[in-house]
Amino acid sequence: AKRIPLFIWHTEIDLENLYVLANSFPKLQIILESQPQKLIYHTCSVFALMKNCRNICLEISNLVAPGLLKYAVRQLGAQRFVYGSFLPANDPMVAVSLLLESGLDLNDINLIAGGNMQGIVGAIKC
């Protein structure tokens, strides 16, 4: 009822249970964090899950394979991704570079860099 988002590591829940969670609570905004393990091996499954669960967004700090962020945005839309850096373990410029070197248009970059998160936080009801 308060629209407080749920942040969860992709290693904390298997994708089947995440699907059940997302569908059981369709108004719950879920932000799947892509650290601390490599997400690259699971991107096809994660993207398929996100196609079926519109209330799941993905944090970008671990989408480091060449062209992966641009591919993901083309498949799912920029509104499904949020900036994250995994600070202090990672340098925040890694994720900034992912955005700046992605080849995405400025509108998509602005959404991912902060616009999407502003919308999520702005929807919280106190």
Side-chain angles (χ1 to χ4, degrees), residues 98-116:
L98 284 173
L99 280 173
L100 296 178
E101 301 297 324
S102 66
L104 295 171
D105 64 47
L106 189 57
N107 184 55
D108 287 347
I109 289 171
N110 286 334
L111 285 172
I112 296 167
N116 293 332

Side-chain angles (χ1 to χ4, degrees), residues 26-38:
K27 292 183 179 181
L28 174 64
Q29 183 65 60
I30 300 169
I31 294 133
L32 188 62
E33 297 194 53
S34 65
Q35 298 280 354
Q37 264 181 7
K38 289 183 181 178

Side-chain angles (χ1 to χ4, degrees), residues 4-45:
I4 297 171
L6 172 66
F7 290 79
I8 189 164
W9 300 111
H10 77 279
T11 56
E12 288 182 298
I13 188 170
D14 63 62
L15 297 181
E16 183 177 323
N17 284 320
L18 183 55
Y19 176 83
V20 170
L21 176 68
N23 283 292
S24 297
F25 301 95
K27 292 183 179 181
L28 174 64
Q29 183 65 60
I30 300 169
I31 294 133
L32 188 62
E33 297 194 53
S34 65
Q35 298 280 354
Q37 264 181 7
K38 289 183 181 178
L39 184 69
I40 189 75
Y41 306 117
H42 309 287
T43 52
C44 289
S45 299

